[in-house]
Amino acid sequence: MNKQNSKYRWIVFASVLFTYFIIVSQRTAPGLITDQLMHDFNVTAATIGLLTSIQFFAYAGLQVPIGILSDRYGPNFFLIVGTLLTGLGTVIYSLAPNETVLLLARLIVGTGDATIWVNVVLILSQWFKGNEFVKLLGMAGMTGSLGFLMATVPFSVFIALTGWRTSFLTMGVLLCLCGILLYIVLIKQPNRMHKSHPVSTPLSVKTEQKREKTLVILNRIFSNRQAWAAFFCHFGAVGTYVGFIGSWAVPYGMHIFDMSRSGASQFIMIGLIGALIGAPLTSWISSRYHSIKKPYILVHLLILLSWSAFLLFSGKPPIMMLMFLFLLIGYGNGASALTFAVVRQSFDVKEVGVASGFANMGGFLSAVLLPSLFGKVLDHFHAAESSVGYFYGFMIPVIFSLIGLIGGFLIKEQPQEVTQTKELTV
């Protein structure tokens, strides 16, 4: 079976993206119940920050190992196992009797989640030709944004109707079913089709080539300027957004602007709309002007200015301005799909998994650090007005987004003809 010419590839595409959509929705959903967890388990803001951080710590720490293993042994197994782990962790989270079990559950979720994006990229690169891959990568980015969107008003309404435990239990069971679906779509059915129509593919030839030692690959990636540029770009664009949305955005709306939980989550939807726009629009601009570096620098500058505005207004900008700031920050998160355009442009197809994992690690390293640091700042200023704690807390995403801007300047633009040649080899 020729994967890249088969109509079956669209079934693969739909199944993989649906699973990714559900997983991303559960990545930040715990941020909707921050105050409930503090009340039910009698924990501090720093503990809540640790809950979010431990999930993203597992995610970030496993990116490079998962990239190496997926490049070497194929992405299907790791995507299926990761989905099942995410589902199992979510079920345990919904049944947790204390904060220790909550931490364990989010650690399991983070471990499963760590396998998802890298393997989504690899699976799409296997089933789709180079020109299709670039376009569909933007759609995958939009799917992730839709997942984040689901974790706002829709999921907060679900929580209000059924309670947080029932809501998370339902999503955990759904993810386990997605794992079974992926096994059928990615392994069982293709094996059956391959037996009916055995055809040699270029991919099978490549896997027979002599593999390089892992340390050689890692040394080449870690000493590569493009790899670090992608790492820093993702650090500034993704972690600041995901880390804040997943932990303190809803409490910020409730404490500073006296919103209800539903109102605060609805307000955050504006940022997610920005993320939905960011992936396709920035990709189109990049293609239109045959440049990744220039539009990505502009994106990081917008992110830096947006977070800096929170400091200019002492942590409480006017409500209309706040809407615009979240729109820009969300746009920057969506535009972070350009990170993987840099990776695809700069690295051999055999190293895309490792390089993608390394870049993705940057985004979620900042997502690890931000919630915990933000929580410590809020605890430190707990005796003062809420706005004081948030003012000092917003210094963290400002610093992180400055690192992202530096990453944008470090990108070394590749000649267009080199890029086209690399796409044809996929």
Side-chain angles (χ1 to χ4, degrees):
M1 179 183 66
N2 190 328
K3 291 182 176 181
Q4 296 184 348
N5 291 323
S6 170
K7 292 182 179 179
Y8 186 75
R9 71 191 191 280
W10 296 108
I11 296 177
V12 172
F13 178 72
S15 302
V16 168
L17 258 64
F18 176 74
T19 302
Y20 181 56
F21 166 76
I22 299 298
I23 288 175
V24 171
S25 74
Q26 294 308 292
R27 188 177 289 167
T28 58
L32 296 174
I33 57 170
T34 295
D35 61 321
Q36 283 184 268
L37 294 178
M38 293 177 71
H39 177 267
D40 292 352
F41 295 94
N42 193 27
V43 295
T44 65
T47 302
I48 294 297
L50 179 60
L51 268 176
T52 304
S53 294
I54 197 169
Q55 173 186 346
F56 292 133
F57 178 79
Y59 187 108
L62 289 172
Q63 285 303 289
V64 172
I66 290 295
I68 294 171
L69 292 171
S70 298
D71 277 339
R72 181 153 296 186
Y73 300 108
N76 295 338
F77 172 78
F78 293 101
L79 184 63
I80 293 167
V81 171
T83 302
L84 292 173
L85 281 176
T86 305
L88 176 63
T90 304
V91 169
I92 295 173
Y93 188 80
S94 70
L95 303 174
N98 53 56
E99 63 269 25
T100 302
V101 178
L102 283 177
L103 286 168
L104 175 63
R106 296 319 289 179
L107 180 62
I108 295 172
V109 168
T111 301
D113 196 9
T115 70
I116 304 304
W117 177 250
V118 170
N119 289 296
V120 166
V121 171
L122 288 174
I123 287 171
L124 293 184
S125 69
Q126 286 184 353
W127 284 88
F128 294 91
K129 299 176 183 178
N131 57 338
E132 291 178 322
F133 172 82
V134 175
K135 298 174 184 176
L136 296 179
L137 193 60
M139 291 187 64
M142 286 183 63
T143 302
S145 298
L146 285 171
F148 283 124
L149 191 62
M150 180 183 172
T152 56
V153 174
F155 202 65
S156 66
V157 171
F158 190 27
I159 290 172
L161 292 175
T162 65
W164 72 268
R165 290 187 181 273
T166 301
S167 301
F168 281 90
L169 177 63
T170 302
M171 299 307 292
V173 172
L174 178 58
L175 281 170
C176 291
L177 294 176
C178 285
I180 298 172
L181 172 66
L182 288 177
Y183 169 75
I184 295 171
V185 171
L186 295 176
I187 296 179
K188 188 174 181 179
Q189 187 61 22
N191 285 344
R192 185 179 301 168
M193 294 168 68
H194 182 72
K195 290 178 181 178
S196 302
H197 303 88
V199 179
S200 297
T201 66
L203 288 171
S204 63
V205 175
K206 288 183 181 180
T207 57
E208 294 174 2
Q209 296 176 354
K210 184 178 179 181
R211 298 187 179 113
E212 286 186 287
K213 292 182 178 180
T214 300
L215 290 178
V216 174
I217 296 174
L218 290 177
N219 181 63
R220 186 160 59 247
I221 296 295
F222 291 161
S223 61
N224 189 294
R225 170 176 166 170
Q226 292 290 79
W228 283 104
F231 179 96
F232 290 143
C233 283
H234 229 52
F235 186 95
V238 174
T240 51
Y241 176 80
V242 173
F244 188 70
I245 289 290
S247 56
W248 298 113
V250 170
Y252 173 68
M254 294 172 69
H255 297 158
I256 303 301
F257 294 93
D258 296 321
M259 296 177 179
S260 64
R261 178 179 295 101
S262 178
S265 61
Q266 184 175 9
F267 195 74
I268 293 167
M269 284 179 65
I270 297 169
L272 297 171
I273 292 171
L276 280 171
I277 298 170
L281 179 56
T282 312
S283 296
W284 177 83
I285 293 172
S286 178
S287 299
R288 176 71 175 79
Y289 293 98
H290 305 291
S291 173
I292 298 174
K293 181 173 183 174
K294 291 178 181 177
Y296 214 9
I297 287 175
L298 180 59
V299 165
H300 282 285
L301 184 60
L302 288 174
I303 297 171
L304 175 60
L305 293 175
S306 297
W307 285 115
S308 298
F310 285 92
L311 299 182
L312 291 176
F313 288 90
S314 301
K316 189 177 180 180
I319 196 76
M320 292 303 295
M321 177 177 285
L322 187 63
M323 294 171 62
F324 185 62
L325 292 176
F326 268 101
L327 184 70
L328 290 178
I329 293 168
Y331 179 92
N333 179 70
S336 67
L338 287 184
T339 296
F340 300 98
V342 172
V343 170
R344 179 65 181 273
Q345 183 190 71
S346 308
F347 294 91
D348 186 271
V349 66
K350 294 179 292 184
E351 299 175 342
V352 167
V354 183
S356 296
F358 183 64
N360 213 24
M361 183 175 68
F364 287 88
L365 177 61
S366 60
V368 167
L369 296 174
L370 189 143
S372 182
L373 293 175
F374 213 106
K376 289 183 180 297
V377 171
L378 292 180
D379 283 342
H380 183 75
F381 291 98
H382 72 278
E385 293 184 12
S386 296
S387 59
V388 175
Y390 279 101
F391 168 76
Y392 286 102
F394 282 124
M395 291 181 180
I396 300 166
V398 168
I399 295 171
F400 285 11
S401 56
L402 179 59
I403 293 173
L405 181 60
I406 293 171
F409 281 108
L410 285 176
I411 294 172
K412 186 177 181 181
E413 202 83 75
Q414 299 290 320
Q416 188 68 20
E417 57 270 18
V418 173
T419 305
Q420 292 172 349
T421 300
K422 287 188 177 183
E423 286 183 358
L424 291 173
T425 63
V426 177

